[in-house]
Amino acid sequence: SENLLNGTVPTELGQLTALELVGIYKNLLTGVLPTELGMITNLQEFFAYNNRLSGTLPTELGQWTALRGLSLYNNFLTGALPTELGQLTAMTELQIHYNSLTGTLPTALGLLTGMSLLRVNNNFLTGRLPTELGQLNALTGLMVDRNFLTGMLPSELGKVTSLIVFYAYNNSLTGTIPIEYGQWIDLQLFVVDDNSLIGRLPTELGTWKALKIFSIRSNGITGTVPIEFGLLSSLQSLDLYNNSLYG
């Protein structure tokens, strides 16, 4: 890692079946991820971020059943996230932001119940936020911003009481902010700017005692600002710009 290596990732790496860590990040590597990598079934961490890799994610990566961390951000990856990622039940971190991924978020991601960080921002993802993400009981960071996601914010996410960071700005999300999100008692950052959210601000959000940043600018939020927001004693930034609030 952190050299000037170029060329493609060798298919022969798939023969290193005892390998537990691959760190090839911050180089100039190009080409696709070889399907042969799926044969490294003992792999626990694969870090290839900040390269020039292209092509799709091989479905064979679903054989990395011992994998804990997968970091492929800042590349040129395309195509959909394979449903086979749902087989990586040991995964704690999936970071694949800043690529050109398309398609929807697989519902199979809900099987990764040990996941603590999910970053898929800055891609071309479409469709809804899966309700199955509400099964990720250990999740602390969910970043889905700067995509083309549609539909409503799933109320099921309220079950993820460990959440600290929620970024969903610059999408096409609709509907209201679910009152169930009031269960995010450890939440610090909530940013949903530039969507098409409507309805009132739930009074239940006054339970976010650890909240530092609250930003809902450029939506269609109506009603008054709940007096319960006065309970947000850790708040550092409150951005309500360009909505339809009154009172």
Side-chain angles (χ1 to χ4, degrees):
S1 55
E2 299 190 69
N3 281 287
L4 298 173
L5 299 175
N6 54 40
T8 59
V9 179
T11 59
E12 290 80 2
L13 286 183
Q15 300 169 23
L16 307 180
T17 54
L19 207 61
E20 296 181 354
L21 168 65
V22 173
I24 53 176
Y25 56 90
K26 292 187 179 180
N27 279 291
L28 303 173
L29 298 173
T30 56
V32 302
L33 290 170
T35 59
E36 289 82 358
L37 292 177
M39 295 187 291
I40 314 176
T41 54
N42 289 311
L43 200 62
Q44 296 180 20
E45 293 179 319
F46 186 81
F47 300 146
Y49 57 88
N50 282 94
N51 278 287
R52 298 173 181 175
L53 299 171
S54 57
T56 61
L57 285 175
T59 58
E60 288 80 2
L61 301 190
Q63 301 172 47
W64 290 346
T65 53
L67 196 73
R68 296 196 302 264
L70 178 60
S71 294
L72 293 167
Y73 57 89
N74 282 353
N75 280 289
F76 300 102
L77 298 173
T78 56
L81 288 169
T83 57
E84 286 79 5
L85 290 178
Q87 301 170 24
L88 310 181
T89 53
M91 179 96 77
T92 60
E93 292 189 3
L94 174 59
Q95 301 193 73
I96 201 162
H97 46 293
Y98 285 101
N99 279 285
S100 296
L101 298 172
T102 55
T104 61
L105 282 170
T107 59
L109 292 177
L111 301 173
L112 309 180
T113 53
M115 180 90 74
S116 63
L117 178 61
L118 176 58
R119 292 199 66 176
V120 294
N121 53 287
N122 291 81
N123 280 287
F124 297 95
L125 299 173
T126 56
R128 296 171 175 265
L129 276 174
T131 58
E132 288 80 2
L133 295 182
Q135 302 169 24
L136 306 182
N137 298 322
L139 198 64
T140 58
L142 177 58
M143 292 86 155
V144 297
D145 47 282
R146 295 185 180 178
N147 280 289
F148 295 92
L149 299 174
T150 55
M152 301 175 64
L153 291 171
S155 59
E156 289 81 359
L157 278 177
K159 301 175 185 176
V160 188
T161 55
S162 56
L163 204 61
I164 295 176
V165 179
F166 181 71
Y167 286 167
Y169 59 90
N170 281 104
N171 281 287
S172 298
L173 298 170
T174 56
T176 60
I177 299 174
I179 61 174
E180 289 83 358
Y181 290 5
Q183 302 173 65
W184 293 345
I185 56 175
D186 294 322
L187 193 73
Q188 296 183 19
L189 308 174
F190 182 81
V191 184
V192 294
D193 302 344
D194 295 295
N195 282 287
S196 298
L197 299 174
I198 59 172
R200 292 174 172 266
L201 291 171
T203 59
E204 287 79 2
L205 304 190
T207 60
W208 292 352
K209 301 297 173 59
L211 190 69
K212 295 179 179 179
I213 295 177
F214 182 85
S215 187
I216 59 167
R217 66 160 50 204
S218 297
N219 279 283
I221 302 295
T222 59
T224 60
V225 179
I227 60 173
E228 286 80 3
F229 273 37
L231 301 173
L232 305 179
S233 54
S234 298
L235 196 64
Q236 298 173 4
S237 175
L238 177 66
D239 193 346
L240 310 175
Y241 170 78
N242 198 24
N243 281 282
S244 298
L245 296 166
Y246 56 81

